[in-house]
Amino acid sequence: MAQVKRIRRNVSGIILLDKPLGFTSNAALQKVRWLLNAEKAGHTGSLDPLATGVLPLCFGEATKFSQYLLDSDKGYETLAQLGKTTTTADAEGEVLQTREVTVGHSDIEAVLPRFRGPISQIPPMYSALKRDGQPLYKLARAGEVVEREPRSVTIARLELLGCEQTTARFAVDCSKGTYIRTLVEDIGEALGCGAYVAELRRTQAGPFALAQTVTLEELEAVHAEGGHEAVDRFLLPSDSGLQDWPLLQFSEHSAFYWLHGQPVRAPEAPKFGMVRVQDHNGRFIGIGEVSEDGRIAPRRLIRSE
């Protein structure tokens, strides 16, 4: 008997998941997509299976704007295991070296200033970055080590929250592309004892905070009681990740031409940069960029939501 093709729903918005421990970001995405029965889905940057916390999941029209969340600043809390280094710079790797820990609170505080502000990081081999089309982690698993270009990142906040004899807990606010595993590993080397990430929790992703998230268990309970449509209550608007962008509201006439790809003028527009756009009814219809002649050029459009 022929298998019946599943008909998925055309739903749009963002669900802020508190990603559970042990899940890849994609596995978490596919689980929530199934609970929604959503046609189109994407996430906004991977969290390691070891990591938990804020993972914005985009559905439908919201996937058009996932790149802007991917590029946003992030916040983390991490527990560093002092005295050991591992192949992956976290608890999932094999121990490479064990050293005595003779540092305390004041020693840790003393090295932190060198890791604040703009810094350079060499991405870890166990990462999703690609070399000749192959993710580095696949090369690493095959025993290969390749040269990686240093990258510039910014650590806006690095605070020691507490420490025990062989552990230290940090709060980190950082720019996109920052590897917390590399940061912890580098701090460990600065201390002379080595370190790896034992726990990692993302507390912030762009404008979204941990307090706004929903757990997978909560989503499953709502689905079990009310089906796919019941899960819709957790969907945030597609532009909720762009709330700090300037907002323009077009007239019915301007919105019509703009949605057909034509740049239009708006007296209240800023002189340059990206903007969010609503139609005359207050419905989000896309994002635009202010051109040199002062008109708003459409960049990503939403025709119906």
Side-chain angles (χ1 to χ4, degrees):
M1 187 171 65
Q3 188 173 3
V4 178
K5 185 178 180 180
R6 182 172 185 169
I7 300 175
R8 294 189 179 273
R9 299 192 305 138
N10 182 22
V11 294
S12 293
I14 298 173
I15 285 184
L16 300 179
L17 182 69
D18 183 351
K19 189 189 84 65
L21 184 69
F23 274 68
T24 65
S25 293
N26 188 58
L29 171 68
Q30 296 307 325
K31 179 64 176 178
V32 178
R33 181 188 182 191
W34 182 87
L35 292 172
L36 277 169
N37 193 30
E39 184 177 12
K40 190 175 182 182
H43 60 69
T44 57
S46 296
L47 277 176
D48 294 335
L50 176 76
T52 64
V54 184
L55 182 64
L57 304 177
C58 298
F59 300 93
E61 292 293 307
T63 60
K64 294 179 177 179
F65 313 104
S66 59
Q67 181 62 42
Y68 301 102
L69 280 170
L70 183 64
D71 292 343
S72 63
D73 294 343
K74 308 293 191 300
Y76 298 91
E77 282 193 14
T78 185
L79 180 69
Q81 175 65 54
L82 306 178
K84 294 181 180 180
T85 57
T86 71
T87 52
T88 58
D90 64 20
E92 295 188 323
E94 297 177 8
V95 175
L96 288 173
Q97 189 178 24
T98 300
R99 283 177 269 179
E100 185 180 3
V101 179
T102 58
V103 297
H105 191 281
S106 60
D107 303 296
I108 299 172
E109 288 281 15
V111 304
L112 295 187
R114 73 181 75 170
F115 297 101
R116 297 186 180 116
I119 65 170
S120 180
Q121 284 191 332
I122 296 177
M125 274 300 300
Y126 281 86
S127 68
L129 294 177
K130 291 185 177 180
R131 171 68 61 87
D132 298 329
Q134 282 288 322
L136 290 184
Y137 65 82
K138 286 191 176 181
L139 298 177
R141 287 170 183 166
E144 295 185 49
V145 176
V146 298
E147 188 174 350
R148 287 96 66 203
E149 289 291 324
R151 55 165 60 182
S152 296
V153 297
T154 299
I155 309 299
R157 176 191 177 210
L158 175 58
E159 181 182 350
L160 177 63
L161 300 178
C163 63
E164 303 289 339
Q165 186 175 357
T166 59
T167 60
R169 188 173 294 276
F170 300 100
V172 183
D173 293 339
C174 56
S175 63
K176 71 165 185 174
T178 302
Y179 285 95
I180 303 300
R181 285 178 291 147
T182 299
L183 178 64
V184 166
E185 194 172 50
D186 290 347
I187 290 172
E189 289 308 309
L191 292 169
C193 61
Y196 68 79
V197 169
E199 297 174 9
L200 182 61
R201 187 153 177 76
R202 186 190 279 168
T203 56
Q204 193 88 24
F208 301 128
L210 194 58
Q212 298 171 268
T213 60
V214 60
T215 67
L216 196 54
E217 289 79 11
E218 289 173 300
L219 292 173
E220 288 173 328
V222 168
H223 176 270
E225 188 174 318
H228 302 303
E229 291 80 5
V231 184
D232 291 354
R233 75 177 72 164
F234 297 102
L235 284 166
L236 300 177
S238 294
D239 64 335
S240 56
L242 311 173
Q243 293 299 306
D244 56 341
W245 289 28
L247 175 64
L248 300 178
Q249 188 166 23
F250 287 171
S251 67
E252 186 174 6
H253 180 268
S254 293
F256 174 82
Y257 284 101
W258 196 75
L259 286 170
H260 285 81
Q262 301 298 312
V264 302
R265 294 191 181 278
E268 70 277 20
K271 293 184 177 180
F272 59 89
M274 302 293 290
V275 294
R276 274 186 304 143
V277 178
Q278 293 178 348
D279 65 11
H280 63 291
N281 292 318
R283 183 177 65 87
F284 175 56
I285 56 174
I287 61 174
E289 186 172 8
V290 183
S291 58
E292 290 182 1
D293 63 3
R295 294 187 297 172
I296 315 302
R299 291 292 177 252
R300 300 306 298 268
L301 300 176
I302 290 181
R303 288 185 165 80
S304 62
E305 197 176 36

